Amino acid sequence: MEKQLIIAIGREFGSGGHEIARRLAKHYGLLLLDKQSLSAEMKKENLLDIEVSLTSASAAFSPMYSNTPTFANLALQQALFEQEFAFIRDKADKGSSFVVVGRCADDILSDNPNCVRIFVLADQEFKLGRVMQAYGLNDRAAANRMRYEDKTRKTYHNYFCKYKWGDSRGYDLCINSGKLGLDKTVSVLIHYIDTNRA
């Protein structure tokens, strides 16, 4: 039986982290779990028993509301994400291999020796260019979108996890995709993963 491989990708908005995760999943022939596919997988297995989507529940951590989850939303938020975390842990405990984007996987799978925890960052210009192109935004709107998305991710991650979002101590490798470009970043990560699996 092939050795388990789990790749947990944290990322800054616009860094290409999700695309990198998709390419790694394709390269290794693994299931890709992100916010949408994870919810779909849980519903398929009848494990998502709260009738509110994970996306809408994330509003409790949106900087549009506040930097701190509101008491009214907290119980729902906790229940939804605890279900999600339990699902990810269960898949890992059963020996499944997969790539997971975000979802605090760097923290909840930190004790799994077969999990490679990666954080993808990039310089401002690189991220700005990608966000402008992807969403058809001008530079000011793109910068605002980046701040909003990263603040939401940071607030959510920091609430649930031991290490702060982007803190290198919480990852096995942090990589600047803006310095290498996406193709070379993926190549470097494949080399790193394969070397560590040997």
Side-chain angles (χ1 to χ4, degrees):
M1 185 176 181
E2 191 172 337
K3 184 179 178 182
Q4 182 186 42
L5 172 62
I6 301 171
I7 305 170
I9 303 281
R11 74 281 184 228
E12 292 180 344
F13 188 75
S15 67
H18 194 282
E19 173 63 16
I20 289 166
R22 187 191 67 77
R23 294 190 195 184
L24 290 174
K26 183 178 180 181
H27 175 80
Y28 289 106
L30 301 178
L31 174 69
L32 175 64
L33 294 175
D34 58 14
K35 183 161 52 179
Q36 287 74 30
S37 63
L38 183 56
S39 179
E41 286 287 318
M42 291 173 70
K43 286 176 180 175
K44 188 167 65 179
E45 296 187 26
N46 296 315
L47 294 174
L48 195 62
D49 56 14
I50 297 177
E51 294 301 317
V52 180
S53 72
L54 294 170
T55 302
S56 62
S58 296
F61 288 87
S62 169
M64 184 182 293
Y65 296 95
S66 70
N67 289 334
T68 306
T70 62
F71 180 78
N73 289 328
L74 187 56
L76 173 61
Q77 181 75 54
Q78 287 269 181
L80 284 166
F81 285 120
E82 284 302 327
Q83 281 187 345
E84 191 177 40
F85 299 159
F87 180 81
I88 293 170
R89 285 191 196 100
D90 185 59
K91 284 190 77 67
D93 290 345
K94 288 178 178 176
S96 297
S97 294
F98 53 91
V99 178
V100 57
V101 181
R103 324 322 299 155
C104 297
D106 53 280
D107 184 81
I108 64 175
L109 299 178
S110 61
D111 59 350
N112 186 309
N114 300 315
C115 180
V116 181
R117 301 170 301 153
I118 297 164
F119 190 81
V120 182
L121 62 143
D123 53 272
Q124 186 78 356
E125 277 190 28
F126 179 81
K127 293 187 294 184
L128 199 62
R130 292 192 78 253
V131 172
M132 288 171 66
Q133 183 176 21
Y135 297 96
L137 302 174
N138 61 34
D139 56 352
R140 183 175 179 179
N144 288 337
R145 176 73 183 269
M146 286 161 54
R147 279 192 294 271
Y148 172 84
E149 296 289 350
D150 280 347
K151 195 167 187 179
T152 301
R153 290 175 183 177
K154 182 178 180 180
T155 304
Y156 154 69
H157 187 281
N158 291 356
Y159 181 80
F160 287 106
C161 301
K162 175 183 177 181
Y163 289 111
K164 301 299 184 185
W165 181 76
D167 185 336
S168 61
R169 292 172 296 177
Y171 307 91
D172 299 306
L173 179 68
C174 295
I175 190 164
N176 187 329
S177 60
K179 299 293 185 185
L180 297 173
L182 297 192
D183 291 342
K184 287 185 180 178
T185 297
V186 171
S187 295
V188 167
L189 291 176
I190 288 170
H191 177 73
Y192 176 82
I193 292 164
D194 289 348
T195 300
N196 280 276
R197 295 182 80 203

